Amino acid sequence: IIITMRIVLARRAKTLLLLSSPAVAVSGGVWEASRVVQETTAVYRGVPSSLPVRPFSSHAALSIVTATTQLRGGGASDSPQQRHASTTAYETRAQPAPGTPFHYAFPVHDLELAKDFYANVLGCEEGRSSTKWQDFSLHGHQIVCHWVGSDYRCVDYFNPVDGDEVPVPHTGLALTVEEFHALAQRVKDAGIPFLIEPHLRFSGMPGEQYTMFFKDPSGNNLEFKAMTKPENLFAKYNVVDDATNEEETK
C-alpha cells in the first residue's frame, strides 16, 4: 500500500489532492485511510473506484497520515511545539457540562493541599496541570487552582442573607437536592467545618433552596445550593431581609 502510494504521489497531482483531504489526517482512522488509498490507486490505473473496502493495519494508516502531513509542510518541518503537541499522551477523565461550561480561576497558597481537597473531598476530576496550577472538572465546569504564594488567604466580607452572615466572595454550584445532601455528607465525613451548616433557606418562597458554606484549605469560600424547584433558580422578586424587616417594624 505504501509503495503504491509513493508511486501515485510522484506521478499524479490529482492524487495529491486526495491524500491531502481531511479524511486522512483528521477523522479517517484505519478504515477511512484504506478507502482513500484504494480510490487513489483506482484513479491512477483508470479503473472504477467503487471497490469493496478492506481494512488494513494501523501501521499502514499511520504511515499514510505521516506522509500526508509531510506533503502539507508538516512532519519534520513542524515547530518543536507542534511536534510536541502531536505526541503528547493524555487521557480525558471528565466530559464538559452541557451547554456552555463556565471557567473559574482562583488563588491558592498550597497546590498539593488544593489538589487533595478538590479531588478527594469534592470529587473533582483532574485536567491539565503544571507545577504552578491545576485544572479540575467541577461537574463538567472548569475550575483552576493557581499557586500564588504561601502567604495567600482569602479576605472575607459578609452580607446578611435570610438570617445568615454570608461570606463574600464565594463560588459554587446549584446542585440537585439529592446531590446537595450527598455532598454535605461527604464534607462532614472529611471533617471540613461548615461556615454555614446545610439547611433550608427562603422556606415557602419562590427561591426556596438548600444551602451550605465552607472553605477550601486556602480560605476560599464555597457555597453549594439546591433549589427545591430548579425552574425557580432565576425567579425575579424582591427579597426583604431580616434587618430591613426590623427597621420597618420600628
Side-chain angles (χ1 to χ4, degrees):
I1 292 172
I2 295 175
I3 293 174
T4 302
M5 184 188 70
R6 288 175 177 168
I7 294 173
V8 174
L9 292 177
R11 298 187 183 184
R12 290 281 177 149
K14 188 173 183 179
T15 302
L16 293 177
L17 181 61
L18 279 171
L19 281 175
S20 63
S21 69
V24 176
V26 179
S27 63
V30 175
W31 191 272
E32 186 67 9
S34 174
R35 181 188 66 76
V36 173
V37 169
Q38 289 203 6
E39 289 188 359
T40 299
T41 306
V43 168
Y44 173 67
R45 291 177 180 172
V47 299
S49 62
S50 57
L51 302 173
V53 178
R54 293 179 298 173
F56 63 115
S57 73
S58 59
H59 174 74
L62 179 61
S63 300
I64 289 172
V65 173
T66 303
T68 304
T69 303
Q70 291 175 347
L71 280 171
R72 294 175 180 171
S77 62
D78 281 347
S79 68
Q81 293 86 352
Q82 288 173 318
R83 289 199 298 273
H84 177 70
S86 65
T87 58
T88 300
Y90 69 94
E91 60 176 321
T92 300
R93 297 183 177 183
Q95 293 300 312
T100 52
F102 73 74
H103 167 73
Y104 174 63
F106 53 95
V108 298
H109 81 288
D110 187 309
L111 195 56
E112 292 306 313
L113 285 177
K115 287 181 180 181
D116 179 66
F117 177 83
Y118 284 94
N120 298 324
V121 177
L122 297 190
C124 299
E125 288 288 357
E126 291 187 4
R128 294 181 298 275
S129 64
S130 80
T131 57
K132 299 295 179 66
W133 53 267
Q134 175 67 58
D135 277 7
F136 285 102
S137 167
L138 180 64
H139 285 250
H141 301 280
Q142 186 193 40
I143 62 172
V144 190
C145 307
H146 285 272
W147 181 81
V148 296
S150 58
D151 293 335
Y152 167 78
R153 295 298 186 280
C154 178
V155 177
D156 287 349
Y157 300 87
F158 295 89
N159 202 25
V161 178
D162 197 33
D164 294 323
E165 288 296 313
V166 169
V168 287
H170 64 258
T171 191
L173 283 181
L175 306 171
T176 67
V177 172
E178 181 180 355
E179 289 169 338
F180 175 89
H181 291 300
L183 179 60
Q185 188 60 53
R186 184 168 184 152
V187 172
K188 288 178 183 177
D189 292 344
I192 305 298
F194 288 102
L195 295 175
I196 298 176
E197 292 279 342
H199 71 287
L200 189 66
R201 182 164 68 186
F202 302 133
S203 180
M205 303 289 287
E208 183 179 85
Q209 60 189 260
Y210 288 97
T211 184
M212 59 180 160
F213 284 80
F214 52 92
K215 287 179 173 289
D216 76 1
S218 294
N220 297 307
N221 299 304
L222 296 166
E223 178 193 12
F224 290 88
K225 63 174 63 180
M227 304 296 295
T228 57
K229 294 182 178 180
E231 65 274 16
N232 284 355
L233 182 61
F234 298 109
K236 181 174 171 55
Y237 66 99
N238 186 48
V239 176
V240 180
D241 60 38
D242 291 343
T244 303
N245 279 333
E246 290 175 4
E247 291 296 324
E248 289 178 344
T249 57
K250 288 181 180 179

